[in-house]
Amino acid sequence: MKNIIITGGAGFIGSHVVRLFVNKYPEYHIINVDKLTYAGNLANLKDIENKPNYTFVKADICDFDTMVKLIQDEKVDGIIHLAAESHVDRSIKDPFTFAKTNVLGTLSLLQAARLYWESLPEKYEGKRFYHISTDEVYGALEFDGTLFSEETKYAPHSPYSASKASSDHFVRAFHDTYGMPTIVTNCSNNYGPYQFPEKLIPLFINNIRHRKPLPVYGKGENVRDWLYVIDHARAIDVIFHKGRIAETYNIGGFNEWKNIDLIKVLIATVDRLLGKPEGYSLDLITFVTDRAGHDLRYAIDSTKLKNELGWEPSLQFEEGIEKTVQWYLDNQEWLDNITSGEYEKYYESMYANR
Ligand code: NAD
Ligand code: TYD
């Protein structure tokens, strides 16, 4: 395997995957295809941008002709597909953009890869289309200890999860119909460096630092299963190389947190690292109108991945949170560059509407 496209490589998870592959596999040519939406940021990849085995291509995955040309010109052997619209709150406001990027964009890549691979004498031999998806396609769990397995029926609730579910079905359909060597993984909530600060953890770290209100949706009772982003990137590496074709693997940390408890850990950690007294920022907690259709609980069973491929999370949550908070405190300039301008206006309007 030589030439690999990683889509969405300028985003949060994609940038960690690009970094891991560029550093670990000097024999691969890694082509990062990203449209650079509000969520894409080349500053996430400063440390590897001049590596000889790395190329950045600014392009929209929905642009079929460009995808066809790129895949043929670069003689692409593998695609790791992360590009997507990824924020549930935005999907509630603007579902069309999610259908376009997540469904039609994925279809455009699948069809472009099919055209090229089917034109080769070896066809699909040695090729791989790896689609990165989310546990949100499974819908919501009750507080009953059950977990999402690879057999759980799809039941998406938000426009975001509906669009991801649809894209997962297209990927599997390309295997079943054309024999394309596909893999799908469904991962739980990620956290760590370089996450766009509209998502809970970086948003709240930044707000605590600047003594801004922390908008907790509903009563803060929803549960999420959190995984350190570098552990997700490690899982993607293992699955891309050793995962079985046409399989689905769930990726998660067996690490469930009620939002309000997690928020208290964030407050305690930021306050401690900034030398504030215990409980200093608790007054910032502000309960606001709940998210429409807010899924109660997500929790992933990643036993299959552990048993088949030996992957396990490497970091305990306490260690991961400490590293993450420290990273955002040390990289205020990275945050400031994103949160100034357009995004600030967007955030203020979202917050005002609650
Ligand atoms: P992100 O929003 O941080 O980054 C998405 C990237 O995709 C950005 O760089 C953006 O510019 C790019 N992009 C968007 N539309 C594009 C288009 N039309 N053409 C080319 N590039 C485009 O997202 P993330 O949190 O890093 O998530 C990456 C993937 O992982 C997504 O597919 C998401 O569904 C999935 N996922 C995310 C999480 C999570 O907790 N963040 C968990 C499980 C799965
Ligand atoms: P988020 O980071 O948006 O991820 P997802 O919705 O994909 O799980 O949100 C994580 C949880 O935090 C989710 O239950 C919604 C909640 N939340 C808040 O309470 N306030 C906020 O400002 C945000 C962004 C999220």
PDB file of all heavy atoms in Angstrom, residues 87-89 136 189 198-200 203-204 215-217 222 224 226 259 291 294 298, ligand 2:
ATOM      1  N   HIS A  87     -20.891  18.570  13.910  1.00  0.00           N
ATOM      2  CA  HIS A  87     -21.458  19.104  15.160  1.00  0.00           C
ATOM      3  C   HIS A  87     -22.986  19.034  15.181  1.00  0.00           C
ATOM      4  O   HIS A  87     -23.651  19.629  14.329  1.00  0.00           O
ATOM      5  CB  HIS A  87     -20.981  20.543  15.366  1.00  0.00           C
ATOM      6  CG  HIS A  87     -21.305  21.080  16.731  1.00  0.00           C
ATOM      7  ND1 HIS A  87     -21.128  20.354  17.883  1.00  0.00           N
ATOM      8  CD2 HIS A  87     -21.807  22.263  17.135  1.00  0.00           C
ATOM      9  CE1 HIS A  87     -21.504  21.065  18.929  1.00  0.00           C
ATOM     10  NE2 HIS A  87     -21.928  22.232  18.507  1.00  0.00           N
ATOM     11  N   VAL A  88     -23.516  18.318  16.161  1.00  0.00           N
ATOM     12  CA  VAL A  88     -24.962  18.064  16.252  1.00  0.00           C
ATOM     13  C   VAL A  88     -25.763  19.376  16.258  1.00  0.00           C
ATOM     14  O   VAL A  88     -26.775  19.501  15.560  1.00  0.00           O
ATOM     15  CB  VAL A  88     -25.280  17.227  17.512  1.00  0.00           C
ATOM     16  CG1 VAL A  88     -26.789  17.075  17.691  1.00  0.00           C
ATOM     17  CG2 VAL A  88     -24.616  15.861  17.435  1.00  0.00           C
ATOM     18  N   ASP A  89     -25.327  20.369  17.031  1.00  0.00           N
ATOM     19  CA  ASP A  89     -26.099  21.626  17.112  1.00  0.00           C
ATOM     20  C   ASP A  89     -26.196  22.304  15.748  1.00  0.00           C
ATOM     21  O   ASP A  89     -27.241  22.855  15.390  1.00  0.00           O
ATOM     22  CB  ASP A  89     -25.460  22.585  18.128  1.00  0.00           C
ATOM     23  CG  ASP A  89     -25.579  22.061  19.550  1.00  0.00           C
ATOM     24  OD1 ASP A  89     -26.575  21.372  19.844  1.00  0.00           O
ATOM     25  OD2 ASP A  89     -24.680  22.322  20.363  1.00  0.00           O
ATOM     26  N   GLU A 136     -23.173   7.527  17.313  1.00  0.00           N
ATOM     27  CA  GLU A 136     -24.477   8.206  17.373  1.00  0.00           C
ATOM     28  C   GLU A 136     -25.493   7.599  16.403  1.00  0.00           C
ATOM     29  O   GLU A 136     -26.691   7.804  16.545  1.00  0.00           O
ATOM     30  CB  GLU A 136     -24.293   9.716  17.141  1.00  0.00           C
ATOM     31  CG  GLU A 136     -23.312  10.296  18.155  1.00  0.00           C
ATOM     32  CD  GLU A 136     -23.254  11.817  18.237  1.00  0.00           C
ATOM     33  OE1 GLU A 136     -24.225  12.479  17.850  1.00  0.00           O
ATOM     34  OE2 GLU A 136     -22.218  12.320  18.706  1.00  0.00           O
ATOM     35  N   ASN A 189     -17.414   9.483  21.671  1.00  0.00           N
ATOM     36  CA  ASN A 189     -16.947  10.885  21.711  1.00  0.00           C
ATOM     37  C   ASN A 189     -15.437  10.953  21.944  1.00  0.00           C
ATOM     38  O   ASN A 189     -14.931  10.323  22.873  1.00  0.00           O
ATOM     39  CB  ASN A 189     -17.618  11.640  22.865  1.00  0.00           C
ATOM     40  CG  ASN A 189     -19.053  11.992  22.562  1.00  0.00           C
ATOM     41  OD1 ASN A 189     -19.876  11.127  22.284  1.00  0.00           O
ATOM     42  ND2 ASN A 189     -19.370  13.273  22.610  1.00  0.00           N
ATOM     43  N   GLU A 198     -16.274  24.401  19.711  1.00  0.00           N
ATOM     44  CA  GLU A 198     -17.732  24.441  19.822  1.00  0.00           C
ATOM     45  C   GLU A 198     -18.195  23.162  20.522  1.00  0.00           C
ATOM     46  O   GLU A 198     -19.340  23.056  20.922  1.00  0.00           O
ATOM     47  CB  GLU A 198     -18.377  24.511  18.432  1.00  0.00           C
ATOM     48  CG  GLU A 198     -18.106  23.283  17.588  1.00  0.00           C
ATOM     49  CD  GLU A 198     -18.586  23.377  16.155  1.00  0.00           C
ATOM     50  OE1 GLU A 198     -19.345  24.299  15.831  1.00  0.00           O
ATOM     51  OE2 GLU A 198     -18.174  22.509  15.352  1.00  0.00           O
ATOM     52  N   LYS A 199     -17.283  22.178  20.631  1.00  0.00           N
ATOM     53  CA  LYS A 199     -17.604  20.910  21.283  1.00  0.00           C
ATOM     54  C   LYS A 199     -17.371  21.056  22.786  1.00  0.00           C
ATOM     55  O   LYS A 199     -16.566  21.891  23.223  1.00  0.00           O
ATOM     56  CB  LYS A 199     -16.719  19.784  20.711  1.00  0.00           C
ATOM     57  CG  LYS A 199     -16.800  19.634  19.197  1.00  0.00           C
ATOM     58  CD  LYS A 199     -17.980  18.801  18.756  1.00  0.00           C
ATOM     59  CE  LYS A 199     -18.224  18.837  17.264  1.00  0.00           C
ATOM     60  NZ  LYS A 199     -17.190  18.298  16.420  1.00  0.00           N
ATOM     61  N   LEU A 200     -18.058  20.238  23.551  1.00  0.00           N
ATOM     62  CA  LEU A 200     -18.142  20.450  25.004  1.00  0.00           C
ATOM     63  C   LEU A 200     -16.785  20.709  25.683  1.00  0.00           C
ATOM     64  O   LEU A 200     -16.622  21.729  26.384  1.00  0.00           O
ATOM     65  CB  LEU A 200     -18.814  19.238  25.662  1.00  0.00           C
ATOM     66  CG  LEU A 200     -18.944  19.346  27.183  1.00  0.00           C
ATOM     67  CD1 LEU A 200     -20.091  20.253  27.586  1.00  0.00           C
ATOM     68  CD2 LEU A 200     -19.153  17.967  27.803  1.00  0.00           C
ATOM     69  N   LEU A 203     -14.663  23.877  24.500  1.00  0.00           N
ATOM     70  CA  LEU A 203     -15.474  25.080  24.758  1.00  0.00           C
ATOM     71  C   LEU A 203     -15.464  25.427  26.243  1.00  0.00           C
ATOM     72  O   LEU A 203     -15.234  26.582  26.637  1.00  0.00           O
ATOM     73  CB  LEU A 203     -16.919  24.834  24.290  1.00  0.00           C
ATOM     74  CG  LEU A 203     -17.917  25.943  24.640  1.00  0.00           C
ATOM     75  CD1 LEU A 203     -17.614  27.215  23.847  1.00  0.00           C
ATOM     76  CD2 LEU A 203     -19.352  25.498  24.372  1.00  0.00           C
ATOM     77  N   PHE A 204     -15.670  24.399  27.071  1.00  0.00           N
ATOM     78  CA  PHE A 204     -15.776  24.670  28.502  1.00  0.00           C
ATOM     79  C   PHE A 204     -14.414  25.033  29.101  1.00  0.00           C
ATOM     80  O   PHE A 204     -14.332  25.901  29.970  1.00  0.00           O
ATOM     81  CB  PHE A 204     -16.430  23.480  29.232  1.00  0.00           C
ATOM     82  CG  PHE A 204     -17.948  23.517  29.141  1.00  0.00           C
ATOM     83  CD1 PHE A 204     -18.598  24.029  28.023  1.00  0.00           C
ATOM     84  CD2 PHE A 204     -18.733  23.046  30.177  1.00  0.00           C
ATOM     85  CE1 PHE A 204     -19.991  24.073  27.931  1.00  0.00           C
ATOM     86  CE2 PHE A 204     -20.127  23.089  30.111  1.00  0.00           C
ATOM     87  CZ  PHE A 204     -20.762  23.597  28.988  1.00  0.00           C
ATOM     88  N   PRO A 215     -22.646  26.795  29.351  1.00  0.00           N
ATOM     89  CA  PRO A 215     -24.048  26.442  29.056  1.00  0.00           C
ATOM     90  C   PRO A 215     -24.289  24.933  29.100  1.00  0.00           C
ATOM     91  O   PRO A 215     -24.005  24.216  28.148  1.00  0.00           O
ATOM     92  CB  PRO A 215     -24.248  26.988  27.636  1.00  0.00           C
ATOM     93  CG  PRO A 215     -22.890  27.029  27.034  1.00  0.00           C
ATOM     94  CD  PRO A 215     -21.893  27.168  28.142  1.00  0.00           C
ATOM     95  N   VAL A 216     -24.822  24.441  30.206  1.00  0.00           N
ATOM     96  CA  VAL A 216     -25.100  23.007  30.364  1.00  0.00           C
ATOM     97  C   VAL A 216     -26.504  22.729  29.839  1.00  0.00           C
ATOM     98  O   VAL A 216     -27.483  23.290  30.352  1.00  0.00           O
ATOM     99  CB  VAL A 216     -25.004  22.598  31.860  1.00  0.00           C
ATOM    100  CG1 VAL A 216     -25.239  21.100  32.007  1.00  0.00           C
ATOM    101  CG2 VAL A 216     -23.673  23.020  32.444  1.00  0.00           C
ATOM    102  N   TYR A 217     -26.611  21.877  28.829  1.00  0.00           N
ATOM    103  CA  TYR A 217     -27.920  21.599  28.225  1.00  0.00           C
ATOM    104  C   TYR A 217     -28.775  20.767  29.183  1.00  0.00           C
ATOM    105  O   TYR A 217     -28.299  19.756  29.732  1.00  0.00           O
ATOM    106  CB  TYR A 217     -27.772  20.829  26.908  1.00  0.00           C
ATOM    107  CG  TYR A 217     -27.010  21.549  25.816  1.00  0.00           C
ATOM    108  CD1 TYR A 217     -26.579  20.851  24.677  1.00  0.00           C
ATOM    109  CD2 TYR A 217     -26.713  22.911  25.887  1.00  0.00           C
ATOM    110  CE1 TYR A 217     -25.886  21.497  23.660  1.00  0.00           C
ATOM    111  CE2 TYR A 217     -26.016  23.551  24.875  1.00  0.00           C
ATOM    112  CZ  TYR A 217     -25.599  22.848  23.775  1.00  0.00           C
ATOM    113  OH  TYR A 217     -24.908  23.470  22.770  1.00  0.00           O
ATOM    114  N   ASN A 222     -27.130  13.866  30.677  1.00  0.00           N
ATOM    115  CA  ASN A 222     -26.811  12.991  29.545  1.00  0.00           C
ATOM    116  C   ASN A 222     -25.425  12.383  29.738  1.00  0.00           C
ATOM    117  O   ASN A 222     -24.540  13.009  30.314  1.00  0.00           O
ATOM    118  CB  ASN A 222     -26.859  13.792  28.241  1.00  0.00           C
ATOM    119  CG  ASN A 222     -28.210  14.449  28.069  1.00  0.00           C
ATOM    120  OD1 ASN A 222     -28.549  15.339  28.846  1.00  0.00           O
ATOM    121  ND2 ASN A 222     -28.979  14.009  27.107  1.00  0.00           N
ATOM    122  N   ARG A 224     -22.024  10.464  28.042  1.00  0.00           N
ATOM    123  CA  ARG A 224     -21.208  10.206  26.870  1.00  0.00           C
ATOM    124  C   ARG A 224     -20.027   9.324  27.281  1.00  0.00           C
ATOM    125  O   ARG A 224     -19.597   9.357  28.426  1.00  0.00           O
ATOM    126  CB  ARG A 224     -20.675  11.529  26.261  1.00  0.00           C
ATOM    127  CG  ARG A 224     -21.776  12.471  25.736  1.00  0.00           C
ATOM    128  CD  ARG A 224     -22.461  11.882  24.525  1.00  0.00           C
ATOM    129  NE  ARG A 224     -23.498  12.718  23.922  1.00  0.00           N
ATOM    130  CZ  ARG A 224     -24.811  12.593  24.180  1.00  0.00           C
ATOM    131  NH1 ARG A 224     -25.251  11.714  25.058  1.00  0.00           N
ATOM    132  NH2 ARG A 224     -25.693  13.349  23.550  1.00  0.00           N
ATOM    133  N   TRP A 226     -16.168   8.692  26.631  1.00  0.00           N
ATOM    134  CA  TRP A 226     -15.094   9.543  26.098  1.00  0.00           C
ATOM    135  C   TRP A 226     -13.814   8.765  25.821  1.00  0.00           C
ATOM    136  O   TRP A 226     -13.365   7.987  26.651  1.00  0.00           O
ATOM    137  CB  TRP A 226     -14.795  10.686  27.074  1.00  0.00           C
ATOM    138  CG  TRP A 226     -15.945  11.640  27.190  1.00  0.00           C
ATOM    139  CD1 TRP A 226     -16.941  11.607  28.117  1.00  0.00           C
ATOM    140  CD2 TRP A 226     -16.242  12.755  26.322  1.00  0.00           C
ATOM    141  NE1 TRP A 226     -17.842  12.636  27.889  1.00  0.00           N
ATOM    142  CE2 TRP A 226     -17.430  13.350  26.792  1.00  0.00           C
ATOM    143  CE3 TRP A 226     -15.615  13.303  25.196  1.00  0.00           C
ATOM    144  CZ2 TRP A 226     -18.006  14.471  26.187  1.00  0.00           C
ATOM    145  CZ3 TRP A 226     -16.182  14.413  24.589  1.00  0.00           C
ATOM    146  CH2 TRP A 226     -17.366  14.982  25.081  1.00  0.00           C
ATOM    147  N   ASN A 259     -22.631  14.343  31.890  1.00  0.00           N
ATOM    148  CA  ASN A 259     -22.058  15.646  31.525  1.00  0.00           C
ATOM    149  C   ASN A 259     -21.699  16.492  32.737  1.00  0.00           C
ATOM    150  O   ASN A 259     -20.612  17.066  32.812  1.00  0.00           O
ATOM    151  CB  ASN A 259     -23.035  16.432  30.637  1.00  0.00           C
ATOM    152  CG  ASN A 259     -23.118  15.867  29.229  1.00  0.00           C
ATOM    153  OD1 ASN A 259     -22.260  15.085  28.814  1.00  0.00           O
ATOM    154  ND2 ASN A 259     -24.152  16.254  28.495  1.00  0.00           N
ATOM    155  N   ARG A 291     -30.865  20.644  24.279  1.00  0.00           N
ATOM    156  CA  ARG A 291     -30.748  20.411  22.834  1.00  0.00           C
ATOM    157  C   ARG A 291     -31.976  19.626  22.371  1.00  0.00           C
ATOM    158  O   ARG A 291     -32.403  18.680  23.048  1.00  0.00           O
ATOM    159  CB  ARG A 291     -29.465  19.604  22.592  1.00  0.00           C
ATOM    160  CG  ARG A 291     -29.261  19.142  21.181  1.00  0.00           C
ATOM    161  CD  ARG A 291     -28.039  18.232  21.074  1.00  0.00           C
ATOM    162  NE  ARG A 291     -26.786  18.947  20.987  1.00  0.00           N
ATOM    163  CZ  ARG A 291     -25.591  18.375  21.058  1.00  0.00           C
ATOM    164  NH1 ARG A 291     -25.479  17.083  21.223  1.00  0.00           N
ATOM    165  NH2 ARG A 291     -24.499  19.096  20.955  1.00  0.00           N
ATOM    166  N   HIS A 294     -32.145  15.552  22.282  1.00  0.00           N
ATOM    167  CA  HIS A 294     -30.855  15.249  22.926  1.00  0.00           C
ATOM    168  C   HIS A 294     -30.772  13.781  23.353  1.00  0.00           C
ATOM    169  O   HIS A 294     -31.505  13.338  24.244  1.00  0.00           O
ATOM    170  CB  HIS A 294     -30.729  16.168  24.155  1.00  0.00           C
ATOM    171  CG  HIS A 294     -29.350  16.272  24.698  1.00  0.00           C
ATOM    172  ND1 HIS A 294     -29.020  17.146  25.696  1.00  0.00           N
ATOM    173  CD2 HIS A 294     -28.197  15.630  24.383  1.00  0.00           C
ATOM    174  CE1 HIS A 294     -27.733  17.038  25.979  1.00  0.00           C
ATOM    175  NE2 HIS A 294     -27.216  16.116  25.185  1.00  0.00           N
ATOM    176  N   TYR A 298     -24.834   7.462  25.430  1.00  0.00           N
ATOM    177  CA  TYR A 298     -24.085   6.648  24.467  1.00  0.00           C
ATOM    178  C   TYR A 298     -23.066   5.833  25.255  1.00  0.00           C
ATOM    179  O   TYR A 298     -22.425   6.368  26.177  1.00  0.00           O
ATOM    180  CB  TYR A 298     -23.268   7.503  23.480  1.00  0.00           C
ATOM    181  CG  TYR A 298     -24.014   8.522  22.642  1.00  0.00           C
ATOM    182  CD1 TYR A 298     -23.434   9.760  22.379  1.00  0.00           C
ATOM    183  CD2 TYR A 298     -25.252   8.245  22.078  1.00  0.00           C
ATOM    184  CE1 TYR A 298     -24.073  10.709  21.581  1.00  0.00           C
ATOM    185  CE2 TYR A 298     -25.892   9.189  21.281  1.00  0.00           C
ATOM    186  CZ  TYR A 298     -25.296  10.411  21.040  1.00  0.00           C
ATOM    187  OH  TYR A 298     -25.929  11.342  20.257  1.00  0.00           O
TER     188      TYR A 298
HETATM  189  P1  TYD B   2     -20.745  17.588  22.008  1.00  0.00           P
HETATM  190  O1  TYD B   2     -19.326  17.861  22.391  1.00  0.00           O
HETATM  191  O2  TYD B   2     -21.456  18.546  21.129  1.00  0.00           O
HETATM  192  O3  TYD B   2     -20.772  16.107  21.398  1.00  0.00           O
HETATM  193  P2  TYD B   2     -22.043  15.168  20.985  1.00  0.00           P
HETATM  194  O4  TYD B   2     -23.271  15.986  20.956  1.00  0.00           O
HETATM  195  O5  TYD B   2     -21.645  14.692  19.630  1.00  0.00           O
HETATM  196  O6  TYD B   2     -22.076  14.080  22.023  1.00  0.00           O
HETATM  197  O7  TYD B   2     -21.602  17.449  23.343  1.00  0.00           O
HETATM  198  C1  TYD B   2     -21.282  16.513  24.353  1.00  0.00           C
HETATM  199  C2  TYD B   2     -22.385  16.534  25.377  1.00  0.00           C
HETATM  200  O8  TYD B   2     -22.353  17.820  26.033  1.00  0.00           O
HETATM  201  C3  TYD B   2     -23.777  16.405  24.795  1.00  0.00           C
HETATM  202  O9  TYD B   2     -24.601  15.654  25.691  1.00  0.00           O
HETATM  203  C4  TYD B   2     -24.286  17.838  24.707  1.00  0.00           C
HETATM  204  C5  TYD B   2     -23.606  18.507  25.888  1.00  0.00           C
HETATM  205  N1  TYD B   2     -23.279  19.951  25.699  1.00  0.00           N
HETATM  206  C6  TYD B   2     -23.682  20.885  26.654  1.00  0.00           C
HETATM  207  O10 TYD B   2     -24.304  20.554  27.669  1.00  0.00           O
HETATM  208  N2  TYD B   2     -23.354  22.213  26.433  1.00  0.00           N
HETATM  209  C7  TYD B   2     -22.658  22.614  25.350  1.00  0.00           C
HETATM  210  O11 TYD B   2     -22.420  23.851  25.183  1.00  0.00           O
HETATM  211  C8  TYD B   2     -22.248  21.650  24.390  1.00  0.00           C
HETATM  212  C9  TYD B   2     -21.501  22.065  23.153  1.00  0.00           C
HETATM  213  C10 TYD B   2     -22.578  20.318  24.601  1.00  0.00           C
END
